[in-house]
Amino acid sequence: MLNMSGAAMAQKPQGASADSGLAAESELHYRSLWILQHLLEGSELASETKTRLRELVEEHAADPEQALLEHLREVRAPLT
């Protein structure tokens, strides 16, 4: 399970840089963790939304990209 309250949760692997050749999948994984961390630590989301986001993170502990995708699907404004 991911600990979304830890400050070190979304750190890049040691020695990684923008041009270090990280696989696209690894970069997406890192960026998803970073976004989730900032959503949960920020003040923009209502507490109910944060609770649901934490549930999604727990459900998809090994796949933060899926947790983020499901969150975005749930909060998007309905198309009219």
Side-chain angles (χ1 to χ4, degrees):
M1 181 173 87
L2 296 174
N3 180 0
M4 296 308 292
S5 63
M9 189 276 307
Q11 291 181 351
K12 277 191 178 183
Q14 281 186 329
S17 67
D19 57 340
S20 68
L22 277 181
E25 185 175 322
S26 295
E27 186 68 17
L28 180 59
H29 186 87
Y30 164 75
R31 288 176 187 251
S32 297
L33 289 173
W34 186 89
I35 292 168
L36 290 166
Q37 177 181 359
H38 287 276
L39 286 172
L40 291 170
E41 291 177 354
S43 59
E44 295 84 12
L45 298 180
S47 62
E48 301 84 24
T49 304
K50 286 184 178 184
T51 298
R52 178 61 185 140
L53 183 53
R54 283 186 190 98
E55 291 171 356
L56 289 170
V57 168
E58 287 183 23
E59 289 173 23
H60 303 286
D63 191 2
E65 299 88 355
Q66 187 63 37
L68 183 57
L69 180 60
E70 287 191 32
H71 167 72
L72 293 172
R73 286 180 178 150
E74 290 180 7
V75 299
R76 75 173 187 201
L79 299 174
T80 55

